[in-house]
Amino acid sequence: MGIIFDEQQRLFHLQGKETSYLFCILKNEQLGHLYFGKKIHPHPHFAASLRVIPRALTTCVYEGDLAFSLDSMPQEYPAYGKTDFRHPAYQIENEDGNTISELVYVSHVIRKGKPALPGLPATYVERDDEAETLEVTLRDPYLDVFATLTYTVYEQFNAITRSVRFENRGTQRLRLLRALSMSVDFHDAEFDLLHLSGAWSRERHIQTRRLMPGVQSIDSTRGASSAFFNPFIALKRPQADEFQGDVYGFNFVYSGNFLAEVEVNPYDITRVSMGINPFDFTWLLAPGETFQTPEVVMVYSDAGLNGMSQTFHALYRTRLARGEWRDKPRPALINNWEATYFNFNEDKILSLGRAAQKLGIELLVLDDGWFGHRDDDTTSLGDWLVDRKKLPNGLKHLGEEINKLGLRFGLWVEPEMINKESDLYRAHPDWLIHVPNRRLSHGRNQFVLDYSRQEVRDAVYDMLVNILTDAPISYIKWDMNRNMTEIGSAGLPKERQKETAHRYILGLYELLERLTQRFPQILFESCASGGGRFDPGILYYMPQTWTSDNSDAIERLKIQYGTSLAYPLSAMGAHVSAVPNHQVGRIEPIDTRANVAFFGAFGYELDIERLSQADLDAISKQVAFYKAHRAMIQQGTFYRLTSPFERNYTCWMVVSPDRREALLAYYKVLAQPNPKFLSVKLQGLAPEMQYEVQDMFNPLKANPMYLEYMQKRGLTEPTLRMYGDELLHRGFALPIEVMNEGDFSSYLWKLTAI
Ligand code: DGJ
């Protein structure tokens, strides 16, 4: 492990756990990319292996030299306009009015550890020997602009992080039109591009397509990373699958507008770049000023998509998420939103609390509607004062009463938003994101507070501190329910208006940093109409995110499967909700609903006072089960086994770090007549260990016909003993219908090493 600079070849070799990343200083002093992939020993003339050949109809860097061109040269941080015609990593407009620039090598340093990015979320180290960092300083000789490219390689993960810092040491007022965080040119184009896209309530579905010549990209222009495209892409070899083959994952540690772009040129060089979306972005870089880009995490796996995901999971769980709640068991919670919506009072919340306590639930979350005069979504955002009509004794009293029941108390807030029908708006009508002379568009009747302004953030901070110091609050659900329009800030001069969206995100991060440092004991869960801002930037401040407003178990198979491409189970809020489901009207057995929600930060979101005794009994067992297994769920290794995007059934499993325990889940969407035989090969188990396989939650168990069937075959307690190698290589036979069990059935097995 480590970073080597070969002076002879002027070549950098970044060595991760099992990864090599190589680049060199080219003849024109720019950086050329050589290799990213499985760890290798480069030969003594590796840098010279970059093929430089004369081509027709191209342009060349040096007069008299018909070969050296950047047209198809693999590079590290390319510019447009000096023989490279592809989309560049950066663009600087100078006072002459043109955008020509070139960043050439000046110096580099290699150091232990990983420096923090000021004001930005980023992966980190706890000890300096966990990682090494390379900073390569480049300079544009005419503009006297410096760009420092920072690369960190981790000792324990096949992950490399990248970011860039610009510094204007010249005299011109420059404008950064494009300042991406990374760019890398692969030497061929034999890849599938995979990304996560969707919309509200069907977030992060997996999309895969073959790379084609030209530009293919995903982005966000909404002011948030968004439910529509996640700031994540992967390139995989066409023959790679969940378990084998080369996969490269790229994830942007940022919560605002982003661009993830892949450009294949006619010579099959594949350029991958990622960063703040240059669309509608310009940053004024005055003399003496710096601009720091957010971080991109790049992961290489030769063990397919699961290998890539497991690296992201381990890195994010342990070196992106922070604070007390990073490693603590997450509480089994109940949220009142789908139980009551806006229609509740103190009595109802307390009786929900009493019912929850009997079931073993640990935390009650009071959702939207507790403040101002908020009986619907037209009013009161911005006025963070309790509604005495609903809660006559205040939040403090309610929290204390909930605590007396033995439950912790949690609260919903949406502090980035404002309704016009609020005292805050009446006092500060210009505190919204807006531009002069244009009618304001709304979303859910609400407007976006201008977090680029310090005074706005300070006011929100004070309001939240008042609540959090007054009432005994252990958990905050931080919601955000609309995207930005008419983007501009009354706090910024004309030439900085196009900085608003990024300054908003920086402001959000600043506020979250202050709050999470001040209240380290509070578990913060992010939410944005469900999964509208599920990204690594947010995970740095809040270790879990409400994965989707869609709580239907069958819909959640796809949402959670897709989300797990980059994000760990510990980051995914997952709740059991009522039937018929409020988003799709589907009716699933309560076991199936829990069997899906177990694979996340678990909870309930339904009126438990309206349930049958049978359902309450089931919930008691589920809560006990979650408590007993949450350490494994949060810290174990997750394996996707069969995909809901490809089949009528889904399997996944989680294995404890010592491989002595595992949970295996099998979900069948539709019942099928006269079904085929199915089996699944398990993953991650120790081949030499013998495991007891116990059938845990199975909706059929409540069915007398099923019990009779099992009894007849002497299978009253269907517990098997099997060796790891059999489960890994021969596989595990999935039950096929022994009777008509209906749609949406599921099974959960626990494997325990004997
Ligand atoms: C959107 C969230 O995703 C829901 O869970 C709920 O908190 C509502 N907002 C409340 O308005």
Side-chain angles (χ1 to χ4, degrees):
M1 208 284 296
I3 299 172
I4 296 160
F5 180 60
D6 176 342
E7 291 202 17
Q8 212 73 44
Q9 300 196 62
R10 303 216 299 167
L11 167 150
F12 297 94
H13 186 177
L14 283 61
Q15 296 174 313
K17 197 174 161 210
E18 292 148 352
T19 317
S20 283
Y21 187 100
L22 288 123
F23 61 94
C24 63
I25 303 166
L26 297 169
K27 172 175 167 179
N28 68 343
E29 302 296 311
Q30 288 180 229
L31 300 180
H33 178 78
L34 290 162
Y35 174 76
F36 179 24
K38 183 95 178 155
K39 201 169 204 166
I40 56 168
H41 296 92
H43 63 73
H45 309 289
F46 200 79
S49 65
L50 270 181
R51 283 177 287 183
V52 180
I53 52 165
R55 289 189 189 269
L57 203 64
T58 192
T59 53
C60 301
V61 174
Y62 299 109
E63 287 183 40
D65 176 348
L66 291 175
F68 190 79
S69 166
L70 300 176
D71 197 353
S72 57
M73 180 72 76
Q75 291 166 79
E76 280 297 300
Y77 202 66
Y80 168 76
K82 288 188 69 63
T83 75
D84 188 347
F85 298 91
R86 292 165 287 178
H87 287 185
Y90 71 99
Q91 236 185 341
I92 306 172
E93 190 178 280
N94 59 44
E95 284 181 356
D96 301 339
N98 67 64
T99 52
I100 298 303
S101 51
E102 55 186 332
L103 289 170
V104 296
Y105 174 81
V106 177
S107 62
H108 71 269
V109 285
I110 296 168
R111 56 173 106 240
K112 291 258 170 233
K114 181 174 195 291
L117 295 188
L120 284 165
T123 56
Y124 58 88
V125 291
E126 290 193 335
R127 292 187 329 271
D128 274 353
D129 61 0
E130 290 177 6
E132 257 184 39
T133 295
L134 165 68
E135 290 176 355
V136 186
T137 298
L138 311 173
R139 173 174 177 258
D140 182 294
Y142 169 61
L143 301 175
D144 213 12
V145 159
F146 286 71
T148 302
L149 312 190
T150 301
Y151 300 77
T152 297
V153 274
Y154 276 90
E155 156 97 341
Q156 282 308 316
F157 310 108
N158 287 317
I160 297 175
T161 64
R162 287 185 63 176
S163 64
V164 182
R165 188 177 68 252
F166 287 91
E167 185 183 350
N168 183 356
R169 296 196 203 161
T171 53
Q172 298 194 31
R173 285 169 74 77
L174 303 171
R175 283 150 50 89
L176 280 175
L177 306 183
R178 187 177 177 102
L180 301 185
S181 297
M182 60 77 57
S183 178
V184 60
D185 287 341
F186 288 86
H187 290 228
D188 70 274
E190 284 284 302
F191 291 107
D192 289 341
L193 168 64
L194 190 145
H195 62 86
L196 302 173
S197 76
W200 174 79
S201 86
R202 52 180 171 82
E203 297 89 349
R204 290 173 299 287
H205 283 205
I206 298 176
Q207 305 292 341
T208 311
R209 63 181 136 137
R210 198 62 183 268
L211 280 190
M212 302 291 284
V215 174
Q216 37 250 282
S217 67
I218 56 162
D219 75 347
S220 171
T221 54
R222 297 177 163 263
S225 50
S226 99
F228 299 83
F229 294 104
N230 195 262
F232 162 84
I233 55 170
L235 290 189
K236 70 180 244 325
R237 293 294 178 191
Q239 67 280 10
D241 57 27
E242 280 286 8
F243 310 106
Q244 58 78 39
D246 284 350
V247 178
Y248 300 84
F250 303 87
N251 203 189
F252 194 28
V253 188
Y254 188 62
S255 311
N257 293 339
F258 74 91
L259 172 69
E261 188 176 86
V262 184
E263 180 171 2
V264 177
N265 81 352
Y267 309 109
D268 273 359
I269 302 290
T270 300
R271 172 165 294 173
V272 178
S273 38
M274 194 173 243
I276 293 174
N277 199 344
F279 175 79
D280 206 39
F281 164 88
T282 301
W283 193 274
L284 175 67
L285 200 66
E289 288 186 347
T290 58
F291 180 81
Q292 173 66 58
T293 75
E295 172 170 292
V296 168
V297 178
M298 312 191 301
V299 166
Y300 164 73
S301 158
D302 66 350
L305 290 163
N306 268 302
M308 172 199 70
S309 301
Q310 286 158 8
T311 299
F312 277 121
H313 295 178
L315 179 67
Y316 289 177
R317 220 176 49 228
T318 61
R319 294 294 179 267
L320 176 67
R322 297 177 302 162
E324 280 183 21
W325 285 99
R326 186 187 77 179
D327 305 324
K328 265 207 209 159
R330 305 290 168 74
L333 65 80
I334 181 152
N335 179 304
N336 74 308
W337 179 241
E338 289 198 11
T340 66
Y341 294 100
F342 293 105
N343 186 18
F344 61 83
N345 57 23
E346 186 182 285
D347 287 348
K348 176 63 191 169
I349 299 302
L350 285 175
S351 69
L352 264 183
R354 280 190 288 275
Q357 183 272 334
K358 287 192 200 129
L359 302 172
I361 291 171
E362 299 162 298
L363 167 75
L364 182 141
V365 180
L366 178 58
D367 210 279
D368 195 355
W370 59 266
F371 54 95
H373 309 287
R374 189 146 165 105
D375 296 327
D376 57 33
D377 63 16
T378 59
T379 153
S380 300
L381 291 172
D383 293 347
W384 299 106
L385 291 170
V386 74
D387 178 359
R388 295 266 167 189
K389 222 166 55 237
K390 286 182 188 163
L391 305 175
N393 301 306
L395 274 183
K396 182 165 188 277
H397 173 79
L398 178 61
E400 285 168 354
E401 291 302 305
I402 295 288
N403 287 171
K404 278 189 208 154
L405 294 172
L407 273 84
R408 292 163 182 250
F409 180 53
L411 196 66
W412 177 97
V413 287
E414 194 179 0
E416 296 164 67
M417 298 292 153
I418 185 165
N419 287 117
K420 284 193 177 170
E421 188 46 54
S422 68
D423 292 340
L424 188 69
Y425 180 75
R426 283 183 280 274
H428 300 286
D430 71 330
W431 274 15
L432 323 182
I433 295 277
H434 71 285
V435 297
N437 308 319
R438 300 280 170 194
R439 194 182 58 234
L440 273 175
S441 316
H442 75 100
R444 208 194 188 201
N445 307 301
Q446 66 197 48
F447 303 88
V448 185
L449 277 173
D450 184 355
Y451 267 30
S452 72
R453 294 171 68 174
Q454 187 71 50
E455 65 273 35
V456 175
R457 299 195 303 267
D458 287 348
V460 173
Y461 177 79
D462 290 343
M463 285 190 272
L464 294 177
V465 168
N466 278 342
I467 299 166
L468 298 177
T469 46
D470 179 47
I473 290 166
S474 307
Y475 162 107
I476 282 287
K477 178 176 173 186
W478 182 290
D479 208 349
M480 192 284 289
N481 287 304
R482 70 155 285 190
N483 292 145
M484 292 179 193
T485 53
E486 295 90 24
I487 302 177
S489 168
L492 290 171
K494 233 173 22 196
E495 72 267 29
R496 291 201 182 273
Q497 287 298 312
K498 283 186 164 187
E499 299 175 12
T500 307
H502 179 52
R503 284 185 183 274
Y504 177 96
I505 297 293
L506 294 177
L508 170 66
Y509 290 154
E510 187 254 4
L511 181 61
L512 288 174
E513 183 70 21
R514 268 201 280 169
L515 285 166
T516 50
Q517 295 302 329
R518 170 97 187 248
F519 300 100
Q521 77 286 3
I522 292 181
L523 170 60
F524 283 82
E525 174 158 346
S526 161
C527 175
S529 297
R533 202 167 55 186
F534 201 126
D535 59 64
I538 283 292
L539 289 181
Y540 182 71
Y541 303 96
M542 309 194 240
Q544 57 191 62
T545 294
W546 179 225
T547 312
S548 172
D549 272 354
N550 193 336
S551 56
D552 173 77
I554 297 301
E555 293 297 315
R556 277 295 188 112
L557 291 176
K558 286 183 177 160
I559 295 170
Q560 291 177 205
Y561 193 97
T563 304
S564 79
L565 262 270
Y567 307 103
L569 300 188
S570 57
M572 289 187 224
H575 300 171
V576 173
S577 62
V579 289
N581 174 270
H582 292 196
Q583 291 77 42
V584 291
R586 203 173 275 139
I587 298 177
E588 292 129 355
I590 193 142
D591 281 351
T592 293
R593 284 175 271 155
N595 284 347
V596 176
F598 282 143
F599 290 82
F602 182 72
Y604 291 86
E605 184 139 352
L606 74 176
D607 192 346
I608 46 177
E609 295 192 283
R610 292 197 193 174
L611 297 182
S612 66
Q613 193 54 46
D615 276 356
L616 293 174
D617 292 345
I619 291 181
S620 288
K621 285 193 198 133
Q622 291 164 359
V623 173
F625 177 83
Y626 173 69
K627 288 179 184 168
H629 297 92
R630 61 185 153 192
M632 174 177 18
I633 293 166
Q634 280 161 32
Q635 277 140 36
T637 307
F638 181 66
Y639 292 88
R640 294 176 299 268
L641 302 178
T642 60
S643 167
F645 297 99
E646 290 163 13
R647 294 168 206 249
N648 181 41
Y649 68 98
T650 299
C651 292
W652 58 42
M653 67 187 292
V654 65
V655 183
S656 68
D658 64 4
R659 303 198 288 172
R660 298 193 61 81
E661 282 192 333
L663 294 175
L664 167 66
Y666 163 52
Y667 313 93
K668 186 146 48 81
V669 177
L670 296 179
Q672 286 174 324
N674 194 12
K676 296 176 186 170
F677 294 109
L678 293 176
S679 64
V680 64
K681 288 184 179 171
L682 306 196
Q683 296 284 327
L685 303 175
E688 69 288 356
M689 277 189 207
Q690 200 186 13
Y691 293 89
E692 192 173 85
V693 185
Q694 236 181 312
D695 187 353
M696 300 302 298
F697 291 101
N698 165 357
L700 285 179
K701 276 183 166 176
N703 187 322
M705 278 164 70
Y706 172 77
L707 293 179
E708 193 190 315
Y709 173 92
M710 298 302 274
Q711 267 158 7
K712 273 194 198 145
R713 283 153 186 80
L715 295 170
T716 36
E717 264 316 309
T719 299
L720 299 168
R721 288 186 169 198
M722 295 171 82
Y723 276 96
D725 51 10
E726 182 185 341
L727 290 162
L728 293 168
H729 304 301
R730 181 165 184 254
F732 180 71
L734 296 170
I736 53 171
E737 282 87 342
V738 290
M739 48 181 288
N740 184 6
E741 64 191 56
D743 296 337
F744 320 130
S745 59
S746 69
Y747 296 76
L748 186 72
W749 293 276
K750 180 175 178 189
L751 283 73
T752 316
I754 299 165

